[in-house]
């Protein structure tokens, strides 16, 4: 009976499966809060920080989705985000926050265009081109920052403080959720605290980020343009035989990918806690965005869950430090047990043993230490990236011709 339920769940739409996973994670988090006493795990402050820190990752993940659905590996998301940070800071200093958004988008799209020329027109290896874009973006922005920001800030490593967006909260809903959180009821208050961060302290770029998830889904899966773009990544020869301009669709996909990554850079610059360009502020978020997209199996709903997970861990370690990250080890043990039970129901005994073994190792670490040193806690998002990718590797289904060279007329 349970196996039949799991089989039907496997046939659910991607958004429904992602919602079930999110609900399960919230339940496990609530149990962890109750047993460890670490209320910061599900507080509205942590959730609000997670939204701000996860937003750049979400933009990068969406950028990766557009490019890779068209068959182009975009490991250059990091460099495009770096370009976006400088473009946003330069335009925002001149003309305000909306100009910063457009500046980040434009500079990121420029990086995407370079990547498209290299990979689509000249068939350069996608990984080599992506690494080159990242190196180019890092070097170019360092030069431009020295040239432009030194006269006005006396520091070539950062821009002057920028004007940010005015923050707002959803009337009624925000205060109601905060009241529920204050009651400290098991699960209910934890859920209210997590949801409160989604409707409190918002800015227009946060709304834009969340809105682009369904928009990307609709364009890529519900329009003829999206079908042609995805066919360019699945079977470009067959698509060309049906009259699809594969080259044009790949160009559009990679340029949009760069623009979205550039918006991720703008989100970093316009973060209310920073409001400015700072050298090396991207800090690997482009790569984490790529990991979130892979974790989400190249689907919008999945990458949203992945971005939320990485943003949450980052926000938690910044707000609560090593003790809260230490409590997450207990939650990770519970996740491993649940996963092991699911694998056992499907009679996948090797996977069950691996999950139980991983859970035992994590619990041993939780038992052996009282806290996680700050030096390790700061790398928690990167560690979660590695663990999540390792756990998700068995169920991934990338586009069939991802990373392959394509020349017009090669199927003729």
């Amino acid at each position: 009976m349970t196996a039949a339920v799991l089989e039907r769940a496997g046939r659910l739409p991607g958004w429904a499966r992602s919602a079930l996973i999110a609900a399960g994670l919230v339940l496990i988090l609530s149990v962890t809060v109750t047993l460890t006493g670490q209320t910061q795990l599900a507080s509205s402050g942590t959730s609000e920080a997670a939204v701000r820190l996860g937003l750049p990752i979400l933009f990068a993940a969406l950028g990766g989705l557009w490019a890779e659905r068209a068959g182009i590996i975009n490991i250059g998301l990091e460099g495009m985000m770096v370009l976006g940070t400088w473009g946003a800071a330069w335009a925002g200093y001149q003309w305000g926050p909306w100009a910063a958004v457009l500046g980040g988008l434009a500079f990121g799209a420029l990086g995407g265009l370079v990547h498209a020329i290299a990979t689509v027109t000249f068939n350069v290896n996608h990984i080599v081109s992506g690494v080159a874009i990242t190196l180019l973006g890092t070097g170019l922005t360092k030069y431009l920052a020295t040239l432009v920001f030194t006269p006005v800030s006396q520091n070539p490593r950062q821009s002057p403080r920028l004007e940010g967006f005015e923050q707002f909260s959803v009337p009624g809903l925000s205060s109601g959720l905060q009241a529920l959180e204050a009651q400290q009821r098991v699960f209910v208050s934890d859920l209210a605290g997590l949801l409160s961060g989604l409707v409190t302290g918002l800015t227009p770029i946060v709304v834009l980020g969340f809105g682009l998830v369904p928009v990307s889904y609709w364009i890529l899966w519900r329009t003829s343009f999206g079908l042609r773009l995805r066919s360019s990544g699945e079977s470009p020869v067959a698509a060309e035989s049906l009259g699809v301009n594969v080259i044009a669709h790949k160009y559009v996909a990679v340029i949009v990918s760069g623009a979205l990554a550039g918006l991720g850079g703008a989100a970093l610059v316009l973060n209310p806690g920073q409001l400015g360009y700072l050298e090396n502020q991207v800090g690997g978020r482009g790569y984490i965005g790529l990991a979130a997209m892979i974790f989400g199996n190249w689907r919008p709903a999945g990458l949203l869950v992945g971005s939320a997970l990485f943003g949450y861990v980052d926000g938690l370690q910044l707000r609560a430090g090593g003790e809260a990250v230490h409590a997450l080890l207990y939650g990770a043990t519970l996740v491993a047990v649940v996963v092991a039970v699911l694998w056992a129901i499907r009679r996948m005994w090797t996977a069950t043993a691996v999950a139980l073994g991983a859970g035992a190792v994590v619990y041993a670490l939780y038992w052996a230490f009282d806290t996680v040193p700050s030096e390790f806690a700061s790398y928690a998002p990167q560690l979660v990236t590695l663990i999540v990718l390792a756990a998700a590797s068995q169920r991934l289904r990338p586009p069939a011709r991802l990373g392959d060279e394509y020349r017009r007329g090669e199927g003729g």
Side-chain angles (χ1 to χ4, degrees):
M1 181 67 176
T2 307
V5 172
L6 288 174
E7 184 178 353
R8 287 196 296 272
R11 294 196 296 265
L12 290 174
W15 64 267
R17 290 196 298 271
S18 298
L20 284 175
I21 293 172
L25 290 175
V26 171
L27 179 60
I28 291 173
L29 192 63
S30 178
V31 173
T32 304
V33 170
T34 302
L35 296 178
T36 64
Q38 286 291 331
T39 56
Q40 284 289 348
L41 291 174
S43 71
S44 56
T46 298
S47 179
E48 191 174 341
V51 170
R52 293 178 181 176
L53 294 170
L55 185 64
I57 296 172
L58 176 61
F59 279 122
L62 284 171
L65 174 73
W66 274 78
E68 300 209 353
R69 276 294 175 180
I72 306 297
I73 298 173
N74 192 359
I75 203 172
L77 289 168
E78 179 84 1
M80 296 170 196
M81 285 187 75
V82 172
L83 288 170
T85 58
W86 189 88
W90 171 74
Y93 175 70
Q94 304 289 334
W95 302 292
W98 282 112
V101 172
L102 295 177
L105 186 150
F107 273 75
L110 182 62
L113 176 62
V114 174
H115 189 48
I117 292 172
T119 57
V120 179
T121 300
F122 295 104
N123 285 309
V124 174
N125 180 277
H126 299 187
I127 304 297
V128 172
S129 176
V131 171
I133 293 293
T134 299
L135 295 175
L136 175 65
T138 303
L140 181 61
T141 53
K142 189 174 295 187
Y143 168 74
L144 291 175
T146 302
L147 186 67
V148 175
F149 294 143
T150 300
V152 292
S153 72
Q154 307 302 317
N155 186 349
R157 294 177 178 269
Q158 66 182 61
S159 69
R161 186 170 177 84
L162 306 180
E163 175 189 357
F165 285 114
E166 184 177 348
Q167 299 181 56
F168 64 93
S169 300
V170 178
L173 186 56
S174 176
S175 57
L177 289 171
Q178 289 175 355
L180 275 177
E181 181 188 7
Q183 294 176 12
Q184 293 300 306
R185 296 181 181 179
V186 176
F187 185 76
V188 174
S189 294
D190 297 327
L191 180 61
L194 292 172
L195 292 178
S196 177
L198 303 180
V199 295
T200 305
L202 303 177
T203 62
I205 197 169
V206 173
V207 177
L208 176 64
F210 285 126
L212 282 175
V213 175
V215 168
S216 293
Y217 171 77
W218 179 76
I219 292 175
L220 293 176
W221 272 270
R222 290 292 182 265
T223 66
S224 56
F225 167 78
L227 176 61
R228 292 192 293 269
L229 187 147
R230 287 186 293 115
S231 69
S232 300
E234 295 289 347
S235 182
V237 173
E240 186 184 35
S241 69
L242 295 174
V244 176
N245 189 334
V246 174
I247 298 295
H249 282 80
K250 285 180 180 288
Y251 258 90
V252 170
V254 181
I255 292 172
V256 171
S257 174
L260 289 168
L263 283 176
L268 280 171
V269 168
L270 293 173
N271 187 322
Q274 185 165 338
L275 289 178
Y277 165 87
L278 182 65
E279 190 176 301
N280 299 323
Q281 71 190 124
V282 174
R285 289 179 176 84
Y287 300 118
I288 296 178
L290 191 64
M293 180 211 63
I294 295 172
F295 166 77
N297 213 5
W298 289 266
R299 304 283 296 194
L303 66 84
L304 176 61
V305 173
S307 301
L309 174 63
F310 300 132
Y312 170 79
V313 175
D314 202 6
L316 182 66
Q317 65 90 13
L318 284 175
R319 279 187 56 85
E323 291 187 1
V325 175
H326 176 255
L328 271 187
L329 295 175
Y330 191 93
T333 303
L334 296 178
V335 171
V337 171
V338 171
V339 170
V341 170
L342 294 176
W343 286 134
I345 291 172
R346 296 182 179 183
R347 299 183 180 181
M348 302 178 68
W349 306 119
T350 301
T352 301
V354 171
L356 287 175
V361 170
V362 173
Y363 185 74
L365 292 173
Y366 173 79
W367 183 263
F369 300 98
D370 294 329
T371 186
V372 175
S374 58
E375 294 82 3
F376 290 100
S378 62
Y379 287 100
Q382 287 81 356
L383 294 174
V384 169
T385 300
L386 294 174
I387 294 170
V388 165
L389 286 181
S393 61
Q394 298 301 315
R395 65 173 184 84
L396 299 179
R397 195 272 182 194
R401 297 295 300 273
L402 179 62
D404 290 355
E405 293 184 4
Y406 171 78
R407 292 178 176 82
R408 193 192 305 272
E410 67 176 7

